[in-house]
Amino acid sequence: MRDSYNRVIDYLRISVTDLCNLRCRYCMPSAGAKQMERSKVLSFEEIVRLAREFVALGIKKVRITGGEPLLRPGIVNLIESITKIDGLEDLALTTNGLLLKEYGAKLKEAGLSRVNVSLDTLDPVKYRYITRGGNLNRVLAGLEEAQRVGLTPVKLNIVLMKDFNEDEIEDFVNLTKEKEIDVRFIELMPIGEMIAWSYPRLVSNRLVLDKVKGLERVASKDKSSPAVYYKLPQGKGKVGLINPLSCKFCQNCNRVRLTADAKMKLCLHSNQMIDLRKTLRSGGDLRSKILASIYEKPLEHDLEGGGFSKRDMFQIGG
């Protein structure tokens, strides 16, 4: 598939639930959030049907997201079904890691390639604060299990926040010395209800290069990757910088998102959403709907001009 700017769209992120077992301060209101109507959430059969249609149109890579995808009952069966789709080359999953110890081996056996784990601090007290009650030890146990069963390279997604985890940059980078772990620092993005909370904590990822000396730039094999990668000399893992604010990477964007209620988002930061659920459940022409919508993908996001998504990240597939 190609959009109107001749970008090849071959990466689909599928959210399977808006539910989460954490309440991260930059993602979700303290009281939680109103859940989607369960009748609107796609069944596994519907997810697999949509995945097949997307792959038939040229999608090569799928990532399963949430909320927290491991909360969805039967998630291992869904993974197994998606891996059987002819033409799909890569299937990964993003998780907060709390249930990874329990599910790691099952996910690998079902055909999952690897996992990304969201982890913003290695300090258990700070972790409880930012997640409003999370248990860091469970996440660390999940990381060990992912490495043990071969869901590698494990990628850690770290949202860099002013006056919170700037002092842990070196600690995260040091994880790449002896382990097959890629740590990726992500600039805090103002999205949904947490826009006001985010702005005072914004900090550029350039701070990583200022703090860690000796990082060597690594050429990327995937020009569509949002991360610019570096490496410590003799390090087993890599250090990635994802800079949606200070350095746009929209010109190489190859992805679209599907929310748990089957709204296709052409850009993470746009409020434009195409309803595929109605077409799916009415027996309409899904492929024509998808192709026509892909052509409307915007050239770039407009965060600088206030073009924020009104949905929170857990409702989008973050």
Side-chain angles (χ1 to χ4, degrees):
M1 290 185 290
R2 290 182 182 270
D3 64 13
S4 62
Y5 302 99
N6 206 35
R7 291 174 296 193
V8 175
I9 309 303
D10 58 6
Y11 177 18
L12 174 67
R13 296 174 64 104
I14 302 176
S15 171
V16 298
T17 181
D18 62 321
L19 303 179
C20 190
N21 46 3
L22 294 177
R23 294 290 181 269
C24 294
R25 293 175 183 272
Y26 57 82
C27 181
M28 190 178 293
S30 58
K34 183 179 179 180
Q35 297 179 10
M36 293 178 181
E37 293 180 32
R38 295 302 100 181
S39 63
K40 293 182 178 180
V41 175
L42 294 176
S43 68
F44 282 173
E45 291 78 12
E46 290 172 325
I47 292 172
V48 174
R49 165 79 192 285
L50 280 167
R52 283 200 187 102
E53 297 293 339
F54 273 98
V55 171
L57 289 171
I59 291 295
K60 302 297 183 185
K61 175 181 177 181
V62 169
R63 176 172 295 278
I64 302 300
T65 68
E68 171 48 52
L70 298 185
L71 287 178
R72 180 83 186 253
I75 186 66
V76 174
N77 293 332
L78 176 65
I79 295 294
E80 187 173 15
S81 295
I82 294 178
T83 60
K84 295 177 180 178
I85 297 175
D86 288 339
L88 182 65
E89 298 177 359
D90 187 79
L91 180 63
L93 178 142
T94 295
T95 173
N96 60 32
L98 286 176
L99 298 174
L100 198 49
K101 172 72 173 176
E102 175 184 349
Y103 281 98
K106 299 173 186 176
L107 292 169
K108 180 65 177 180
E109 185 177 352
L112 190 72
S113 301
R114 63 189 181 283
V115 292
N116 285 19
V117 179
S118 301
L119 181 62
D120 300 320
T121 176
L122 297 171
D123 182 310
V125 175
K126 289 162 69 174
Y127 185 80
R128 282 196 300 272
Y129 166 78
I130 199 65
T131 61
R132 295 190 176 100
N135 185 329
L136 178 62
N137 287 334
R138 290 179 62 186
V139 181
L140 297 179
L143 289 175
E144 290 183 5
E145 179 69 359
Q147 291 177 291
R148 186 187 72 81
V149 302
L151 290 171
T152 53
V154 174
K155 294 182 180 180
L156 294 187
N157 291 339
I158 304 136
V159 176
L160 197 58
M161 289 170 275
K162 184 177 177 60
D163 299 326
F164 176 71
N165 56 5
E166 297 160 294
D167 60 332
E168 296 186 71
I169 289 174
E170 293 97 330
D171 295 332
F172 275 113
V173 171
N174 285 337
L175 294 177
T176 69
K177 287 182 176 179
E178 303 296 335
K179 297 182 179 180
E180 194 178 359
I181 291 179
D182 293 349
V183 299
R184 309 196 310 169
F185 295 96
I186 305 172
E187 289 180 339
L188 182 61
M189 292 177 282
I191 291 179
E193 292 188 23
M194 309 316 294
I195 291 174
W197 188 91
S198 301
Y199 267 121
R201 294 164 177 80
L202 292 176
V203 59
S204 170
N205 268 345
R206 294 188 184 92
L207 183 62
V208 176
L209 300 179
D210 291 339
K211 280 182 169 286
V212 182
K213 305 304 180 185
L215 286 174
E216 302 170 350
R217 180 76 177 266
V218 178
S220 177
K221 297 179 181 179
D222 181 7
K223 71 175 185 178
S224 65
S225 172
V228 176
Y229 280 104
Y230 299 81
K231 195 171 185 179
L232 289 171
Q234 283 77 54
K236 292 185 177 181
K238 300 190 295 293
V239 178
L241 304 184
I242 301 178
N243 310 316
L245 293 173
S246 64
C247 183
K248 282 186 178 181
F249 40 78
C250 303
Q251 69 273 14
N252 294 321
C253 184
N254 67 333
R255 67 199 63 194
V256 292
R257 297 169 182 258
L258 190 65
T259 66
D261 56 348
K263 302 293 175 59
M264 183 166 64
K265 283 183 69 71
L266 304 174
C267 174
L268 171 62
H269 303 292
S270 170
N271 285 310
Q272 180 187 17
M273 293 190 291
I274 295 91
D275 188 356
L276 296 185
R277 187 181 70 248
K278 185 180 296 184
T279 305
L280 172 67
R281 293 183 177 177
S282 67
D285 187 347
L286 275 170
R287 293 192 187 183
S288 294
K289 178 85 169 183
I290 292 168
L291 284 172
S293 301
I294 290 294
Y295 205 70
E296 300 300 318
K297 183 175 171 65
L299 176 61
E300 59 185 20
H301 69 67
D302 187 29
L303 284 174
E304 301 92 334
F308 308 113
S309 173
K310 292 179 181 178
R311 280 197 176 194
D312 292 298
M313 276 300 287
F314 67 92
Q315 298 169 318
I316 297 172

